[in-house]
Amino acid sequence: MTSTTAKRACVIGWPIEHSRSPLIHSYWLKRYGIKGSYTKEAVKPEDVKAFVSTLAERGFAGCNVTVPHKEAAFSAADVKDDSAIAVGAANTLWLEGGKLHGANTDTYGFMTHLDLSAPGWNAQNAPVLILGAGGAARAIVYGFLKAGVARILIANRSRRRADQLADHFGEKVCAIDWDKRNDVACEAGVIVNTTTLGMKGVGDPGIDFSRCRAGAVAADIVYVPLETSFLKSARAKGLTGVDGLGMLLHQAVPGFEKWFGVRPQVTQDLRDLIVADIEGA
Ligand SMILES: NC(=O)c1ccc[n+]([C@@H]2O[C@H](COP(=O)([O-])OP(=O)(O)OC[C@H]3O[C@@H](n4cnc5c(N)ncnc54)[C@H](OP(=O)(O)O)[C@@H]3O)[C@@H](O)[C@H]2O)c1
């Protein structure tokens, strides 16, 4: 028997006003004619555990989790996927078989968008250079390792954090000094900005793309603005640019499927909707 009860999901964070997830999921609910809702829930850090352990009582099939609750969500999950375990954080929760499941879909979101936007990115088997060593960097390093990359270099402003990330993932991942990033950028096949530099047009990771190898790819996970100065400079020097919006859209796919039972498509229409929102902000 098919249930006609509306399904509900939400995104929790503190603060939460900035989240674009409701725009994405509401678009899909309408697109697939699903009776359901996706809302923003402001949850204080001290209330996260209680909130996620009572999702069913609150009428939710699950939720997305954003800053600063991803680690707490990971701890609360009874069952965790491989990426959540590798990263130590969960951004997607759902109830299944009476248990709370937790996943980190940033890895999937980043790698799917990279594969679609720059097919053959690993054709030369070159090292990958990651700028930054925060939570997003961790999810992305895991994605590259799973994809079979043999050498990943991490450059982070605070060297200690780069060392910690490299130690966590083992011998294929190497920390380098932030000041040495341009010395290795020329040998990299993919350069990824996972720092906050470039957000709202402020700052720039300072990569000299003029000496990069032919066919190299530059990916930025910052998506406000959509075309960061990092991407602009990379494209001007002939690199393939991969923007941060695709990661945001693709990371939303697994959660929607778990909560609402339909695997949604990331379409140009959806992208245009979010671009308009970014440009209007
Ligand atoms: N597209 C998407 O779907 C998506 C998903 C997740 C995150 N993001 C974006 O990715 C960025 C990072 O997120 P996160 O969660 O990893 O944040 P995070 O854990 O706070 O890490 C921030 C990173 O930025 C570096 N950084 C900050 N200011 C810097 C500066 N002035 N110079 C050099 N490095 C600086 C930090 O270096 P230190 O360690 O030295 O402080 C750290 O490596 C944010 O802009 C976020 O919005 C996008």
Side-chain angles (χ1 to χ4, degrees):
M1 196 174 73
T2 313
S3 165
T4 52
T5 316
K7 291 177 185 160
R8 294 175 59 214
C10 63
V11 55
I12 62 167
W14 186 260
I16 195 60
E17 268 322 301
H18 64 283
S19 175
R20 288 191 169 83
S21 292
L23 264 183
I24 299 171
H25 291 283
S26 300
Y27 171 89
W28 280 332
L29 285 170
K30 197 167 164 210
R31 162 82 182 71
Y32 296 104
I34 295 169
K35 202 173 152 199
S37 68
Y38 184 101
T39 51
K40 291 178 197 176
E41 304 291 331
V43 177
K44 289 182 185 162
E46 58 269 32
D47 298 333
V48 181
K49 208 174 156 204
F51 189 96
V52 300
S53 59
T54 52
L55 282 173
E57 289 89 318
R58 293 168 193 271
F60 291 114
C63 65
N64 277 131
V65 182
T66 188
V67 178
H69 300 331
K70 294 184 188 182
E71 286 80 12
F74 174 76
S75 305
D78 305 308
V79 183
K80 303 158 202 242
D81 82 342
D82 61 336
S83 176
I85 292 167
V87 177
N91 68 349
T92 305
L93 297 175
W94 69 96
L95 292 162
E96 190 178 320
K99 290 200 183 313
L100 184 64
H101 288 242
N104 190 311
T105 66
D106 278 342
T107 303
Y108 167 83
F110 178 82
M111 295 310 292
T112 303
H113 183 51
L114 178 66
D115 287 343
L116 291 169
S117 310
W121 57 265
N122 199 22
Q124 297 180 26
N125 242 340
V128 168
L129 171 61
I130 308 280
L131 307 168
R138 203 168 260 245
I140 290 168
V141 168
Y142 179 63
F144 280 119
L145 286 172
K146 267 210 332 185
V149 169
R151 193 155 171 259
I152 300 173
L153 303 164
I154 314 285
N156 192 52
R157 177 180 61 177
S158 107
R159 173 65 194 248
R160 200 175 57 86
R161 219 169 164 200
D163 286 334
Q164 283 168 348
L165 203 154
D167 289 348
H168 177 77
F169 283 112
E171 60 186 16
K172 290 181 179 166
V173 184
C174 226
I176 60 160
D177 284 343
W178 180 244
D179 292 347
K180 297 271 164 35
R181 62 197 184 285
N182 272 310
D183 298 350
V184 295
C186 50
E187 52 167 306
V190 185
I191 303 169
V192 189
N193 175 39
T194 76
T195 73
T196 51
L197 289 167
M199 263 175 92
K200 297 189 174 147
V202 179
D204 183 281
I207 295 297
D208 173 9
F209 292 104
S210 62
R211 294 185 302 133
C212 285
R213 54 197 300 159
V217 174
D220 202 338
I221 68 164
V222 169
Y223 57 88
V224 180
L226 194 57
E227 184 77 355
T228 56
S229 59
F230 173 85
L231 282 180
K232 256 186 220 154
S233 329
R235 286 185 170 127
K237 295 294 177 197
L239 280 83
T240 301
V242 176
D243 68 41
L245 178 56
M247 175 182 178
L248 178 77
L249 300 177
H250 284 285
Q251 65 76 33
V253 169
F256 188 92
E257 183 179 26
K258 292 291 180 195
W259 310 316
F260 301 114
V262 172
R263 183 121 184 133
Q265 297 291 310
V266 171
T267 56
Q268 188 61 42
D269 262 11
L270 171 62
R271 207 184 136 85
D272 291 347
L273 178 79
I274 309 301
V275 169
D277 187 67
I278 290 170
E279 288 174 349

